[in-house]
Amino acid sequence: MQIEELERNLKTGKTDNIYLLYGEEQYLIEQCVKKIKKNFGELVNGINYIQIDDKNVEKLIQDIETPAFGYPNKLIIVKNSGLFKKETRGKKKEEKTTKKTQKSLTLQEKIAIYLKENADTIKESNVIVFVEQEVAANELQKTLQSIGTVCDAEKLKPVQISKRIKAICNAYKVSIDDGTMNYFIETCGTSMLNLINEIRKLIEYAGENGTISTEAIDKLSIKELDSVIFDLTDNLGQKRIKEALQILKELLYNKEPIQKILITLYNHLKKIYLTILADEYRVNVAEALSLKPNQMFLITKYKRQASYFKKNELRNILQELIDLDYRSKQGKIDVNIGLEAILCMI
């Protein structure tokens, strides 16, 4: 199930008794959990509302079986439990050579078997919500797929983000045109939590019946690091070294770790290099860069920046960044000085 379908179901009061919610868009997942709680009704912690994590997950079956004294149903939120981690090869090998008995089962397997064998009884008096960031395919995941609702909350595509942000703006009688919306997303990224925090500032600045502008975004919004690196690379490509160095200084002034800047810049330039290769060998750029569906709008930007550089030039820059990382870890050069030197060479 997609996150938007789950949101529609919860909005209309259509709920299930067992959920597995996971994915990159944790903000939307948290909003769904809040809606599940609201639909559930009165919550009394420890009685009809139980919270489980990796520290007390072994009590899950016990909590499911314990009555919600005085209440018809119980809501159990199982968050970041560690039950969906990928098993190691050593573990799998051991399972192949060891006869499966109840005592040798992992906690994940015990819970999977229990839920599968008692699904109907469990649903009569419980609502169980598993919330994770990442989920590996295992017996518990397969069981929840068969008896409950599983939702992978992937990052939204720009058109989906735009629709949500415009709805927020309309609620406050503030307008934003499509071009400005695209600039807003490119500047602040695709995380709904970050975007909502940023749009609130812009709405307040524009005021009722006002309009959000690109100038306001530049003035008020916190740019995502990737967006800043795009700006830095634009200046490098057009040989505006002074401006590129100024962006670097501003990143450092804003307490962005120099090592993170180095890695992000390297990865960005590598993608530009791959864009050049993809064009040269007539390979699909999106596949070459392993872009996700919500990142397709970046193709045009990568192609534009690729036009600034020659293939050999980029290869040399990438090698310089690798050498800088190696020499700085040996204490032979300061990363800040080394990175500035590389930028001045371009």
Side-chain angles (χ1 to χ4, degrees):
M1 178 181 289
Q2 298 297 313
I3 189 71
E4 292 179 331
E5 182 182 354
L6 175 61
E7 289 173 326
R8 286 194 297 270
N9 288 347
L10 294 175
K11 187 176 181 179
T12 58
K14 183 180 178 182
T15 58
D16 201 347
N17 288 79
I18 298 177
Y19 291 94
L20 170 58
L21 312 179
Y22 70 98
E24 293 181 274
E25 197 47 84
Q26 288 290 303
Y27 172 78
L28 296 182
I29 289 175
E30 288 300 325
Q31 294 305 303
C32 286
V33 172
K34 288 181 180 179
K35 189 64 178 177
I36 291 171
K37 289 181 180 179
K38 184 177 179 180
N39 290 346
F40 184 85
E42 182 185 4
L43 297 173
V44 180
N45 195 34
I47 304 297
N48 74 335
Y49 177 48
I50 307 296
Q51 300 177 75
I52 299 286
D53 57 23
D54 61 333
K55 297 180 180 62
N56 62 346
V57 67
E58 70 281 349
K59 295 175 56 183
L60 176 56
I61 294 176
Q62 176 185 330
D63 284 322
I64 293 173
E65 294 178 337
T66 302
F69 297 100
Y71 294 89
N73 295 297
K74 178 164 67 261
L75 175 61
I76 302 176
I77 305 293
V78 188
K79 188 172 183 180
N80 299 327
S81 63
L83 292 172
F84 299 90
K85 291 181 178 179
K86 195 172 183 179
E87 295 178 348
T88 63
R89 291 182 180 180
K91 172 65 180 172
K92 289 182 178 180
K93 185 177 180 181
E94 180 184 339
E95 289 176 352
K96 288 180 180 179
T97 58
T98 304
K99 184 178 179 181
K100 285 288 182 181
T101 64
Q102 188 64 26
K103 290 184 179 180
S104 67
L105 292 174
T106 64
L107 179 61
Q108 168 250 114
E109 290 168 328
K110 289 178 182 178
I111 293 173
I113 292 171
Y114 175 79
L115 293 177
K116 191 171 185 178
E117 293 180 348
N118 301 279
D120 292 338
T121 304
I122 291 169
K123 290 180 180 181
E124 289 177 2
S125 56
N126 293 277
V127 175
I128 306 174
V129 184
F130 292 88
V131 180
E132 301 287 337
Q133 290 191 341
E134 294 182 4
V135 168
N138 59 28
E139 289 304 313
L140 181 55
Q141 182 268 341
K142 292 175 184 177
T143 297
L144 294 175
Q145 189 85 47
S146 65
I147 65 173
T149 296
V150 176
C151 176
D152 180 0
E154 298 177 332
K155 287 283 188 182
L156 299 178
K157 297 178 182 178
V159 64
Q160 295 170 304
I161 294 172
S162 177
K163 183 179 178 181
R164 289 171 183 265
I165 297 299
K166 281 191 175 182
I168 295 172
C169 291
N170 291 337
Y172 289 91
K173 298 181 180 179
V174 171
S175 61
I176 179 171
D177 61 46
D178 291 338
T180 306
M181 176 65 75
N182 291 337
Y183 182 73
F184 174 62
I185 295 170
E186 290 177 9
T187 299
C188 300
T190 56
S191 165
M192 282 304 300
L193 178 59
N194 291 341
L195 290 173
I196 288 174
N197 288 336
E198 296 304 319
I199 203 65
R200 283 172 178 165
K201 291 189 292 185
L202 294 167
I203 288 171
E204 185 70 23
Y205 182 77
E208 188 172 327
N209 298 318
T211 301
I212 294 172
S213 65
T214 56
E215 290 78 15
I217 294 170
D218 288 336
K219 184 183 296 184
L220 299 175
S221 297
I222 299 174
K223 285 191 173 185
E224 188 182 49
L225 179 57
D226 286 339
S227 176
V228 178
I229 295 298
F230 264 109
D231 293 343
L232 189 153
T233 308
D234 265 335
N235 284 297
L236 288 179
Q238 298 177 59
K239 308 305 178 186
R240 297 197 296 259
I241 307 303
K242 182 179 179 181
E243 288 82 352
L245 290 172
Q246 182 59 37
I247 292 174
L248 175 61
K249 289 179 180 178
E250 288 174 2
L251 284 172
L252 295 173
Y253 178 79
N254 291 323
K255 307 298 182 183
E256 201 69 62
I258 185 63
Q259 203 66 35
K260 185 178 179 181
I261 297 172
L262 177 62
I263 293 170
T264 306
L265 179 60
Y266 173 83
N267 287 332
H268 181 74
L269 292 175
K270 183 179 178 181
K271 286 179 179 178
I272 296 175
Y273 181 68
L274 290 174
T275 301
I276 294 175
L277 292 179
D279 184 60
E280 181 179 341
Y281 293 100
R282 297 183 180 182
V283 175
N284 183 283
V285 175
E287 292 180 5
L289 302 183
S290 299
L291 294 179
K292 297 178 180 179
N294 67 310
Q295 297 176 313
M296 292 304 170
F297 70 95
L298 294 174
I299 293 176
T300 303
K301 299 181 72 173
Y302 281 123
K303 284 186 174 182
R304 174 172 55 80
Q305 292 197 339
S307 68
Y308 297 148
F309 302 92
K310 295 179 181 179
K311 183 172 69 173
N312 290 339
E313 180 185 17
L314 270 177
R315 185 187 297 164
N316 291 335
I317 295 170
L318 290 170
Q319 188 58 55
E320 289 286 345
L321 293 173
I322 292 172
D323 292 342
L324 172 59
D325 180 60
Y326 177 74
R327 286 183 288 136
S328 66
K329 288 175 180 177
Q330 289 188 319
K332 294 182 178 180
I333 189 172
D334 179 78
V335 182
N336 293 38
I337 295 173
L339 186 52
E340 287 185 5
I342 292 173
L343 297 185
C344 290
M345 288 168 50
I346 298 175

